[in-house]
């Protein structure tokens, strides 16, 4: 549906520069900025429950067992995702250590590589200014930075997805065996990272892009070299899938396909349901300050869709996944991450055109909307952080909270003033500086200050110390966050009933358990047990948003007898 020719779209608007050193220097500086933001604080912030400890713990157990086919966490099969992320994290922990920094290293590198891919594509297709600003905007988008600091699949999947998109664009501009090979390899690696997520999101992007005046998918199909491309794709994904099918007796596919694909699409699993418009609302919140410009950027690209296929390509990339994900019942904002680079390009493209035209923020209603949104969000964030510093946060977190509030307030006022005066370049520089400073303070100061209050980390460390001092093996009951298992350093039995507690204590002589006040009272009142409280931990579950009190106790069989009772359902309160 595009009126532009592929040949003209493939050429770069800027005149070619014989000296490539400025380009390499620009790539290096943007890459260093992204990598710095992605790495800062990673070694000082413990893993976030629930997903991070599961991935990191499975990687640790894979290294300990030498079994690179069948992942486990806490000595139980982990069939949630395919194998590639664990293999990559083995390399990351080999370089960075078996710790949060090493576990997150792969995501940090992949996030940086995604920024550079988007920078390179935008620079070549839309010009040097747009490419430069694309890299800076994407590197400082809070959602992009956050996912690049987590040891999960999302930053890695985003890199493979963006690579597929770039390869498809190249195939549209001209036939290329290299681009076709890159597409099939990257698609295979994406499937080996997160099953069908990438192919499904790509199909949505390509379809919507075509409808919006982007490249024709029929050109892609003709140039993908299916005769050797599809076998190459299958050679990447089939061997491990056959191996895990045999090793798991088919259970992997029951969990990975039946639960994590079919049920996630049709049900809101693990308290992750969402309302209509979830991705619009959460996306606007997690991509600030840049998200204020998304409506104007989409409108600008829509107006240019007949001039250049790049406009339709980017619109489809940005909103195709949005339409698809809104129809899925389980909703999490990081599912949208592969489409975020397209938003960064659209925003950079808009800002470069606006800056060159030298008009103010109030010259268009969508720019006025952006100004109001930035003013309101900046005021809410400033007041919220100041209130938290005064009334909610513990003392070590108050100074960084006040600092964050000051950065946001100053950045908002400066940016809006410069934009209203038509000095858009100054406003862009202010937004970049404010966002970088805010992210450095948050990751390098504020969140590390919360570590002494994070209950799963503290409990895991204290259990490890008490086990080393007493020789009593730990076990977990209703308090069982994956972060505690990871921080403990080795698997721990999960006990789901009074009978299981007694049987393990009887076999071991004694067990070390983190008990809630209710569990402690029940066991102390039960003559079948002797309970010796060694420590009490008071902390905060940031993930659940609530305070927790845990009594680290040695539990032994008491002089009383225990009647033979059936074990209750998993998760039942100990009786």
């Amino acid at each position: 549906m595009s009126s532009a020719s592929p040949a003209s779209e493939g050429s770069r608007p800027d005149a070619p520069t014989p000296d490539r050193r400025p380009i390499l220097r620009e790539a290096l500086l943007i890459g260093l900025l992204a990598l710095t933001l992605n790495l800062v604080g990673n070694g000082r912030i413990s893993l976030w429950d629930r997903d991070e400890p599961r991935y990191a713990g499975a990687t640790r157990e894979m290294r300990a067992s030498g079994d690179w086919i069948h992942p486990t966490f806490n000595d139980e099969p982990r069939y949630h995702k395919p194998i590639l992320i664990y293999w990559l994290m083995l390399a990351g922990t080999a370089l960075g250590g078996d710790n949060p920094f090493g576990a997150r290293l792969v995501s940090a590198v992949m996030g940086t590589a995604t920024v550079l891919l988007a920078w390179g594509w935008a620079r070549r297709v839309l010009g040097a200014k747009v490419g430069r600003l694309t890299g800076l905007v994407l590197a400082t988008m809070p959602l992009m930075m956050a996912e690049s600091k987590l040891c999960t699949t999302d930053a890695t999947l985003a890199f493979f997805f963006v690579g597929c998109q770039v390869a498809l664009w190249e195939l549209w501009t001209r036939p290329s065996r290299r681009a076709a090979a890159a597409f099939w390899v990257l698609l295979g690696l994406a499937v080996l990272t997160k099953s069908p997520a990438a192919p499904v999101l790509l199909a949505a992007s390509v379809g919507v892009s075509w409808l919006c005046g982007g490249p024709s998918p029929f050109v892609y199909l003709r140039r993908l070299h299916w005769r050797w491309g599809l076998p190459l794709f299958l050679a990447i994904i089939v061997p491990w899938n056959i191996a895990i099918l045999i090793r798991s007796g088919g259970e992997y596919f029951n969990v990975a396909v039946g639960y994590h694909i079919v049920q996630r699409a049709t049900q809101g699993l693990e308290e992750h349901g969402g309302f209509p418009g979830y991705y619009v609302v959460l996306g606007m919140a997690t991509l600030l300050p840049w998200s204020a410009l998304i409506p104007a950027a989409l409108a600008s690209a829509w107006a240019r869709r007949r001039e250049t296929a790049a406009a339709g390509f980017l619109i489809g990339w940005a909103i195709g996944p949005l339409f698809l994900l809104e129809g899925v019942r389980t909703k999490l904002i990081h599912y949208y991450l592969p489409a975020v680079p397209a938003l960064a390009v659209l925003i950079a493209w808009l800002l470069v055109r606006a800056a060159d035209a030298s008009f103010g923020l109030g010259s268009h209603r969508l720019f006025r909307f952006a100004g109001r949104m930035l003013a309101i969000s900046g005021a809410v964030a400033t007041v919220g952080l100041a209130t938290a510093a005064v009334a909610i946060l513990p003392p070590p977190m108050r100074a960084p909270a006040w600092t964050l509030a000051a950065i946001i307030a100053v950045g908002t006022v400066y940016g809006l003033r410069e934009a209203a005066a038509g000095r858009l370049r100054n406003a862009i520089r202010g937004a970049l500086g404010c966002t970088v400073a805010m992210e450095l303070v948050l990751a390098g100061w504020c969140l590390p200050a919360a570590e002494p209050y994070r209950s799963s980390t503290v409990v895991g460390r204290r259990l490890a110390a008490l086990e080393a001092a007493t020789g009593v093996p730990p076990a977990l009951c209703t308090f069982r966050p994956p972060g505690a298992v990871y921080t403990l350093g080795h698997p721990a039995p999960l006990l789901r009933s009074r009978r299981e507690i007694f049987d393990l204590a009887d076999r071991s002589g004694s067990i070390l358990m983190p008990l809630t006040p209710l569990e402690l009272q029940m066991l102390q009142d039960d003559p079948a047990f002797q309970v010796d409280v060694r420590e009490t931990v008071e902390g905060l579950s940031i993930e659940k948003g609530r305070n927790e009190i845990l009594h680290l106790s040695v539990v032994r069989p008491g002089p009383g007898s225990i009647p033979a009772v059936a074990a209750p359902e998993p998760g039942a309160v100990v009786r």
Side-chain angles (χ1 to χ4, degrees):
M1 289 189 177
S2 172
S3 60
S5 67
S8 65
E9 293 292 343
S11 60
R12 184 165 62 88
D14 298 342
T17 304
D19 186 0
R20 299 188 63 84
R21 285 178 295 180
I23 300 176
L24 295 176
R25 184 163 55 247
E26 182 176 298
L28 177 63
L29 292 174
I30 290 174
L32 283 175
L33 172 65
L35 189 62
T36 299
L37 293 175
N38 295 346
L39 289 176
V40 66
N42 285 3
R44 301 170 57 209
I45 303 170
S46 56
L47 302 182
W48 299 97
D49 281 314
R50 294 171 289 192
D51 288 341
E52 274 202 294
R54 289 170 175 164
Y55 284 106
T59 302
R60 175 186 286 164
E61 292 182 25
M62 183 175 287
R63 179 187 299 106
S65 67
D67 185 348
W68 286 37
I69 302 298
H70 187 262
T72 63
F73 174 70
N74 203 31
D75 273 346
E76 296 181 353
R78 176 161 171 78
Y79 297 146
H80 290 59
K81 295 294 184 292
I83 198 66
L84 182 59
I85 191 63
Y86 304 111
W87 292 347
L88 294 175
M89 287 176 62
L90 282 170
T93 52
L95 292 172
D98 184 13
N99 52 49
F101 182 87
R104 291 162 170 158
L105 186 58
V106 168
S107 290
V109 172
M110 289 298 193
T112 302
T114 300
V115 168
L116 291 175
L117 265 181
W119 162 82
W121 182 87
R123 191 181 201 285
R124 188 160 46 83
V125 176
L126 300 174
K129 292 180 181 178
V130 177
R132 184 182 309 117
L133 191 53
T134 292
L136 294 172
V137 168
L138 184 57
T140 56
M141 280 182 158
L143 179 61
M144 187 71 213
M145 187 200 73
E147 293 300 330
S148 299
K149 297 175 74 66
L150 300 176
C151 56
T152 59
T153 58
D154 298 292
T156 299
L157 177 69
F159 171 73
F160 294 143
F161 183 91
V162 174
C164 287
Q165 290 280 44
V166 171
L168 288 177
W169 177 268
E170 292 301 308
L171 287 170
W172 180 72
T173 59
R174 65 184 185 280
S176 170
R177 293 176 65 88
R178 181 180 299 178
F183 173 83
W184 288 113
V185 169
L186 290 167
L187 188 65
L189 295 175
V191 171
L192 210 55
T193 300
K194 205 169 182 179
S195 295
V200 171
L201 293 175
L202 273 174
S205 298
V206 168
V208 175
S209 170
W210 183 41
L211 294 175
C212 294
S216 168
F218 301 107
V219 177
Y220 303 149
L221 294 174
R222 289 198 306 269
R223 296 176 176 177
L224 275 172
H225 295 278
W226 291 82
R227 281 193 300 176
W228 55 262
L230 185 59
L232 176 61
F233 168 76
L234 294 175
I236 293 171
I237 69 170
V238 167
W240 176 79
N241 277 276
I242 291 177
I244 195 64
L245 173 66
I246 296 170
R247 284 289 304 276
S248 68
E251 185 61 22
Y252 167 78
F253 292 98
N254 291 336
V255 175
V257 178
Y259 180 81
H260 284 283
I261 296 177
V262 176
Q263 290 192 38
R264 281 186 185 275
T266 57
Q267 303 175 30
L269 297 181
E270 298 175 357
E271 302 177 357
H272 295 320
F275 50 87
Y278 170 92
Y279 288 99
V280 174
V281 174
L282 268 291
M284 295 297 279
T286 56
L287 296 173
L288 281 167
W290 307 112
S291 58
L293 294 163
I294 290 175
L298 287 170
S300 176
W302 179 259
R304 304 195 69 191
R305 70 192 185 281
R306 300 186 189 281
E307 302 174 20
T308 169
F313 180 74
L314 290 167
I315 293 171
W317 183 356
I319 68 175
L322 178 70
F323 291 152
L324 176 71
L325 293 171
E326 281 291 347
V328 175
R329 295 293 296 276
T330 300
K331 300 181 189 297
L332 289 166
I333 189 59
H334 58 253
Y335 291 174
Y336 185 68
L337 187 67
V340 168
L343 294 176
V345 179
L346 287 167
I347 291 167
W349 195 12
L350 170 73
L351 287 174
V352 168
R353 293 184 67 212
D356 288 344
S358 300
F359 58 79
L361 196 65
S363 60
H364 190 280
R365 59 187 178 86
L366 289 178
F367 276 88
R368 291 195 294 272
F369 165 82
R372 294 189 192 102
M373 182 176 172
L374 289 171
I376 293 171
S377 60
V380 169
T382 301
V383 173
L385 283 165
T387 302
V390 171
I392 300 173
L393 296 176
M397 298 184 69
R398 291 172 186 168
W402 278 114
T403 304
L404 284 171
I407 291 171
I408 293 171
V410 172
T412 301
V413 171
Y414 176 80
L416 291 176
R417 186 193 67 186
E418 294 299 297
R423 295 186 289 269
L424 195 55
R425 290 184 177 85
N426 288 346
I428 294 170
R429 295 187 190 102
L432 287 168
C434 172
T435 308
V436 169
M438 180 183 66
E439 291 170 349
L440 289 174
V441 170
L442 180 65
W445 186 10
C446 187
L447 292 179
E451 282 299 296
Y453 307 97
R454 294 183 59 191
S455 54
S456 64
T457 301
V458 175
V459 167
R461 288 172 180 162
R462 294 312 306 154
L463 285 176
L466 289 171
E467 181 186 21
T470 64
V472 178
L476 303 177
C477 192
T478 58
F479 179 84
R480 57 178 70 178
V485 176
Y486 176 82
T487 309
L488 175 62
H490 60 77
L494 302 181
L495 307 178
R496 296 174 172 86
S497 69
R498 175 180 180 272
R499 166 66 71 180
E500 291 182 6
I501 295 174
F502 182 85
D503 288 346
L504 183 59
D506 190 45
R507 290 196 306 270
S508 305
S510 58
I511 52 177
L512 181 62
M513 299 182 67
L515 301 174
T516 66
L518 177 60
E519 291 168 337
L520 177 63
Q521 187 63 50
M522 288 180 175
L523 292 181
Q524 286 178 332
D525 292 343
D526 193 327
F529 298 99
Q530 290 182 339
V531 183
D532 177 17
V533 177
R534 295 301 181 92
E535 293 183 16
T536 297
V537 172
E538 297 185 33
L540 170 67
S541 172
I542 296 179
E543 298 81 3
K544 296 180 179 179
R546 69 187 188 198
N547 292 316
E548 295 178 308
I549 299 177
L550 283 307
H551 302 283
L552 309 188
S553 308
V554 175
V555 180
R556 302 180 180 87
S561 60
I562 180 170
V565 294
E569 292 296 319
V573 176
V574 177
R575 300 290 184 186

